Amino acid sequence: MSGRPSEAPPANPLPQTNVDELIAQYDEELPQRTLTRRLDLGVGIVCFVVSLFVLKQVFFPLAQGNQYYLMWFLAFVLPLVFICYRPGFGRKTDVADQAAEVAEAVDSTGTVDSATTAGNPKTAGQTKAKRRSNDNPSIIDWVLVALTFLTCAYPVLPFFSGGFNEFLNRQGSLTSLDVMMGGVLLLLVLEATRRTTGLILPIFCLVFFLYSYYGAYIPVSWPGSHAGQNFDQIVNALYNDASGFYGIPLDVAATYIVLFTIYGAVLDKTGAASFFIDLSFSLFKKSKAAPGRTVALSGFLLGTVSGSGTATAVSLGAVTWPVLKKAGYPKENAGGMLAASGIGAILSPPTLGAAAFIIAELLNVSYGLVLLWAVVPTLLYYLGIFLAIEIDSRKIEVDYTPPPGLRAWPILKKGFYHFISLGIIVVFLSMGMAPFKAVVYATLVGIGFGIIEIVLSRLGEPKTILAAIWDVFYGALSSGIRSVLPVTSVCAAAGIIVSTITKTGLGQVISDILIKGAQALSTDPTAVLIFTCIFAAVAVTILGLAVPVTASFIISWVIVGPALISLGVPEAAAAMFIFYYAVLSEVSPPTALAAVASSAITGGRVIATMWQACKYAIPAFLVPLAFTFTPEGASLVAQGGFIGAVWTGLVSAFAVAALAAGAGGWIIRRAGWPERILCFIAAGALLYLQPMSMMIGFSALILAVIVHLLLRRKPKTTSATTSDIGSTETRSTGSPAESN
């Protein structure tokens, strides 16, 4: 498989077990159990069979229709949550201790002390054995597994409900058994969501459920009052209707997301992660900023493998942090860089995040069109990161020597086929093919090339060839389904909220409140739009701090989306606006899971790492406002034709450059606050994308450069300190315990 050249590795990666543990702690959707070998094998076989069922549905769909398929999909997948996820919230103390040990094991030479990370054979082995023996499902978990399968499959089992058609015929007049089964499934979905994401989303669902039930008790004069629904009506909407549990969110999870997770697993099994990182190192090896540039480019490429911002940041940090440390990057700068690059992966084509598939379904457009909308914002986002990296490489005493023998062409020649499978997705989507078919073909190509490489690299070793091929085929299909377990829970739970908002009209009520709040500040239509967009950005970001990205987007779309659209914002711009702020919650203080996970890798201070992540990701916080403030801004998401996208993209690129200069405090050399303030003014004016504001923006930017040249500050480095934003503490080379 594609791997790092053995004669000249750029870094010794952290052990995979430590990477998995860190992801399990900090990723909002991956706190999985450590199962015993036999049970893990059983779960793997079930997941493999479910993968085959999902692939069959692509080319040979079930005759009974999509809702029938979704019921079976939920019946197969949801019970696995109670096997793979523990009822608590994870072994955070154990994992945090292990993270500290991992960071402490990175010695001053930038390598990993394998003895330390592997642990003492006695203590490490005992700890692992203890975890395995205590982490299997309990009797209660197995009861929940059986009950979940029964309630999910009930509508399609002829000997209970009378069969699928008979169950649908009872819509609006469910039997007592129907209502009981639906009520139990409601509780099970909430519990599965709690296990995979925590308490916040289930609490949201309960609040919406209570609102639906007790709506009649709200005074008529109050906003949001409605006639109320009885328990039977609520269960009918969730369980029998083609909404609720089986609405658009679950449909997207079962038909799009699951196939892309399988594709990502294939890339992972065939060595795409190491190939992307090796290639990035080899491309930038002659630059002092090479380690930082590698993080940014690798983060973009690794997003096709993981699909999660936090997981990408951790996986990337496990390999690149030793190099970043050896080059002289402070812990907080490195952690912020990892977090920003990680979340950038789910903002970028060709795979984006799970919410992008929901955008396509909600707006009834092709997924390829959604990818097109994301092109210019992605370029602006990574322009901001690369400029911030260049600034840091000049402010910090970066001392990077590229490893000998790491050449781009041999690496590219060995693993080029990873780009072929990605290209297939883009080409087939541009030809109008459905994304679920395009990704299946890309998956098959990835498997085929992976098998060819295995055979060529292991000639004369038939046993190892067969084992490796089986690992690619079976392992990828199995782990692909495991990756989609939390997304399935979240999407089923999100159906509760969407159904409530649809049935009660709450979305329009909240939308009106949002607009009236903006009108209270100003009666000018332009000001109302600006204030509404700012309120919406804050609301989506705050919601994203509490719930996963997918759920945050779904909830925000039905609440905030109508407000933006009613003020004249195009649907595409409104959807991408909400998508970006939902994703950015992963680097937004005070939770910022991607930044917290990165700080665990580097041993840096958590809050300072969060602010560094904000510095690197600042274009993504401000550029989405440009989508919505003006009609011209919508051209950034391909709403104004090619020429419109080009000129708005160029102007926005100057705005991003001004943002990077202001946030990083560097133009030609170290910049003072007069120039930085002028850069911030320039960025804000340029992003408004109106003739007068652009004139002001360019004037402010030119003035900033003139002031900067006239002041002639002496350049100085910050080898002993972290960057300007949120951090002044002296960089420590000691243990994480000392740095914290």
Side-chain angles (χ1 to χ4, degrees), residues 624-645:
L625 292 171
F627 301 169
T628 54
F629 279 177
T630 63
E632 291 80 5
S635 297
L636 292 172
V637 287
Q639 298 303 294
F642 178 75
I643 300 299

Side-chain angles (χ1 to χ4, degrees), residues 145-439:
V145 169
L147 196 58
T148 303
F149 178 80
L150 180 62
T151 54
C152 289
Y154 168 79
V156 293
L157 295 176
F159 47 85
F160 275 121
S161 64
F164 177 65
N165 292 332
E166 186 64 28
F167 180 75
L168 291 185
N169 289 336
R170 295 197 295 272
Q171 188 174 109
S173 57
L174 299 182
T175 65
S176 299
L177 183 59
D178 295 338
V179 174
M180 183 186 73
M181 288 291 190
V184 172
L185 181 57
L186 170 63
L187 296 176
L188 291 169
V189 167
L190 294 178
E191 170 60 11
T193 306
R194 185 194 68 82
R195 291 192 181 204
T196 55
T197 65
L199 272 170
I200 302 298
L201 183 55
I203 290 174
F204 265 89
C205 294
L206 284 174
V207 168
F208 277 89
F209 174 86
L210 293 174
Y211 170 74
S212 182
Y213 188 80
Y214 289 107
Y217 295 93
I218 300 175
V220 177
S221 59
W222 289 19
S225 64
H226 64 95
Q229 295 178 297
N230 60 39
F231 188 74
D232 290 13
Q233 291 174 317
I234 296 173
V235 170
N236 181 81
L238 296 176
Y239 197 38
N240 192 293
D241 199 355
S243 60
F245 299 138
Y246 310 111
I248 287 178
L250 184 64
D251 186 17
V252 170
T255 55
Y256 296 104
I257 298 174
V258 64
L259 294 171
F260 275 84
T261 59
I262 292 173
Y263 172 64
V266 168
L267 288 180
D268 186 42
K269 292 291 184 182
T270 54
S274 60
F275 164 70
F276 290 145
I277 293 175
D278 290 346
L279 183 62
S280 300
F281 268 111
S282 66
L283 290 175
F284 299 128
K285 63 182 181 181
K286 294 183 179 180
S287 169
K288 289 185 67 175
R293 293 178 180 179
T294 297
V295 168
L297 180 58
S298 299
F300 169 73
L301 295 172
L302 283 176
T304 61
V305 180
S306 71
S308 163
T310 303
T312 300
V314 172
S315 301
L316 188 59
V319 176
T320 60
W321 164 236
V323 180
L324 292 170
K325 180 177 182 179
K326 186 176 180 180
Y329 282 91
K331 298 173 182 178
E332 289 79 9
N333 290 64
M337 194 186 304
L338 291 169
S341 299
I343 69 109
I346 47 179
L347 294 172
S348 308
T351 53
L352 295 176
F357 301 101
I358 297 176
I359 292 175
E361 285 295 303
L362 289 172
L363 301 187
N364 195 27
V365 298
S366 68
Y367 180 66
L369 188 57
V370 177
L371 296 185
L372 182 63
W373 296 344
V375 170
V376 174
T378 297
L379 295 175
L380 295 175
Y381 180 77
Y382 278 97
L383 172 64
I385 290 183
F386 272 93
L387 289 174
I389 288 170
E390 293 298 321
I391 289 172
D392 275 358
S393 69
R394 286 160 174 76
K395 292 173 62 178
I396 302 166
E397 287 184 346
V398 176
D399 183 19
Y400 172 69
T401 302
L406 194 63
R407 295 178 297 163
W409 177 244
I411 295 172
L412 183 62
K413 187 168 60 173
K414 189 174 183 180
F416 73 96
Y417 63 87
H418 296 299
F419 289 118
I420 293 179
S421 63
L422 287 170
I424 284 175
I425 295 178
V426 175
V427 171
F428 283 180
L429 289 177
S430 65
M431 293 170 57
M433 181 179 291
F436 48 84
K437 287 189 176 181
V439 74

